[in-house]
Amino acid sequence: MAAGVPVASHPGCLYMGCPPSGATVPQRKRSMALALYDTMARAKRPFVPRDPERVTMYVCGPTVYNFAHVGNFRPVVVFDVLFRLLRHVYGEDAVLYAANVTDVDDKINARAAEEGAPIEAVTDRYLAAYNEDAAQLGALAPTFQPRATRTMDAIIAMIGQLVRNNAAYAAEGHVLFDTQAYADYGQLSGRPLDEMIAGARVEVAPYKQNPADFVLWKPSKPGEPVWESPWGPGRPGWHIECSAMIEQTLGLPIDIHGGGVDLVFPHHENERAQGVCATHEPTYAHYWLHNGFLNFGEEKMSKSVGNVALAHDLLRRYPGEAIRWALLVGHYRAPLEWNGELIEQARRSLDRLYGALRRAADVAPESEQPSAGFLAALDDDLNTAAAMAELFALAAKLENGSAEEKRRAKGELLGSAGLMGFLAADPEQWFQGGADEGLKGRIEALVAARDLARREKDWPEADRLRAELTALGVEVMDGPAGATWRLKAPA
Ligand SMILES: [Zn+2]
């Protein structure tokens, strides 16, 4: 074992596992090629966790007041791939992943008032729907899913620590973070601070010492949820939630902090400032990862723009794996143009892979391990497009290789696709998803009759049977091993 690394002192740290100042923690090494683009460094860096036996990742989650649009699920799916990759490298129990839920918010209050329902009824309902959609998209449940309303003690404790550390001040029932207290403020977002502030339309208020200072605690308006605090009854600001939830679930600092690129400023900048000033840890997160937007045409996809595609609705029309594939075809950092053709293409890609598996039903796979080429692609800052190309290359080997190559390719295809959250369905069921038993029997009889007509070169009869199948919404695909079929997606 290598020599220990000294731990920086962080007085007043709330983290139970915090080592005393001056202590050393053992440094373990594991060879690993994973490199991640770090927003803070503005460069790809080799990923080295602080402790390979306790790798920590936090991703900012949704505000639960409505069904989530598909854009909300891009970070869910992207960071799920990273979670799965980290679990593969470090072991399933060695990776701790927290993804929070914001359940204190003006939009939630408005929704509850509109429905005349308690706030918790609204948040519980949409959190359940969100988790159901995420599971259908193949996302593993995070290790922790903290909720702001259930983290209130830790939030209030962290605000108190910031006040004691002279990094926050109380004014007119509010507590504000003093951005002057943190010399590195603005380093994460990197652009000139006044520009960022102008872009984010920072609220100017008489109780602020500096326009960039942000709210940690504020009085509740009538009808809003309210908690007691040393600064009067009120509710937390948004940014402090995440820092307190990280401290409570994972402990600061963490290895990886993720979220959408729109969160870099002010949310993540503010999280970092308050986290460092509360714990006196020099680093808040060792790697900052941000995914690009999902675009609908030229516009950013957001509820406020109104161009909404709810994942909940899409999942009724398409298999979860097809939507997941569509969300992963482009590099996670680049914007992704979202449209119906993207999902259709994704489904056709999965058809090719499932088709290869179905035709190789009698091939016994070797051990189901991801291929070296597949891992190399994901190790390169989650290059999912290259990883998908590797899946097709493995499928081609499975179709065209020698008997030995086929066994190996099948194992590697299942291992690689499985790591990425694909090919979880039975190939037969994939193509027949949605057909009830009676309809399925009728379709299969028609497909068999058409196959027979083709073998007998009775083309008029084969065409007639195809027309009958088309009328039933069935698409027939002719291949070397006979015809396969599937139901078309409803229009
Ligand atoms: Zn956050």
Side-chain angles (χ1 to χ4, degrees), residues 241-435:
E241 278 179 27
C242 281
S243 300
M245 286 191 260
I246 291 174
E247 183 72 308
Q248 195 173 59
T249 54
L250 304 173
L252 282 164
I254 51 171
D255 290 311
I256 298 169
H257 195 312
V261 69
D262 52 330
L263 298 181
V264 175
F265 189 90
H267 185 53
H268 289 168
E269 193 75 73
N270 291 353
E271 265 194 51
R272 176 172 176 259
Q274 72 205 359
V276 168
C277 290
T279 62
H280 287 170
E281 278 282 351
T283 305
Y284 182 75
H286 285 266
Y287 298 81
W288 287 94
L289 270 64
H290 293 101
N291 65 275
F293 286 135
L294 212 57
N295 289 333
F296 242 8
E298 288 297 287
E299 276 173 305
K300 175 193 156 191
M301 189 164 169
S302 73
K303 286 178 196 168
S304 52
V305 176
N307 48 4
V308 175
L310 302 178
H312 206 71
D313 294 339
L314 287 171
L315 282 164
R316 273 187 232 155
R317 298 172 53 198
Y318 298 98
E321 282 194 16
I323 301 169
R324 181 180 175 93
W325 186 282
L327 286 168
L328 291 170
V329 286
H331 194 272
Y332 75 90
R333 284 197 285 122
L336 181 65
E337 288 297 325
W338 187 260
N339 52 56
E341 181 51 26
L342 188 71
I343 313 180
E344 284 297 338
Q345 256 173 30
R347 198 222 287 261
R348 285 195 291 274
S349 297
L350 285 160
D351 281 352
R352 276 169 65 192
L353 299 177
Y354 273 114
L357 280 180
R358 180 158 71 166
R359 287 185 288 277
D362 55 344
V363 174
E366 265 183 35
S367 71
E368 289 182 20
Q369 282 298 318
S371 73
F374 174 85
L375 288 174
L378 287 191
D379 278 351
D380 180 18
D381 193 30
L382 303 184
N383 189 338
T384 48
M388 286 166 168
E390 172 70 5
L391 298 183
F392 288 122
L394 291 168
K397 277 188 207 162
L398 176 58
E399 303 247 47
N400 307 314
S402 66
E404 195 188 325
E405 282 167 342
K406 284 182 179 203
R407 280 197 300 278
R408 179 161 182 197
K410 188 170 180 181
E412 289 188 336
L413 176 58
L414 290 170
S416 304
L419 195 157
M420 216 172 162
F422 294 117
L423 303 186
D426 174 83
E428 291 296 337
Q429 279 169 3
W430 170 263
F431 287 103
Q432 287 150 26

Side-chain angles (χ1 to χ4, degrees), residues 438-454:
L439 178 60
K440 207 168 134 181
R442 192 167 153 216
I443 292 168
E444 267 164 10
L446 286 168
V447 170
R450 181 174 162 277
D451 255 1
L452 183 68
R454 280 166 59 86

Side-chain angles (χ1 to χ4, degrees), residues 146-157 241 244-246 248:
R147 296 172 67 157
T149 52
R150 297 177 189 172
T151 315
M152 213 46 73
D153 289 350
I155 291 171
I156 290 167
E241 278 179 27
M245 286 191 260
I246 291 174
Q248 195 173 59

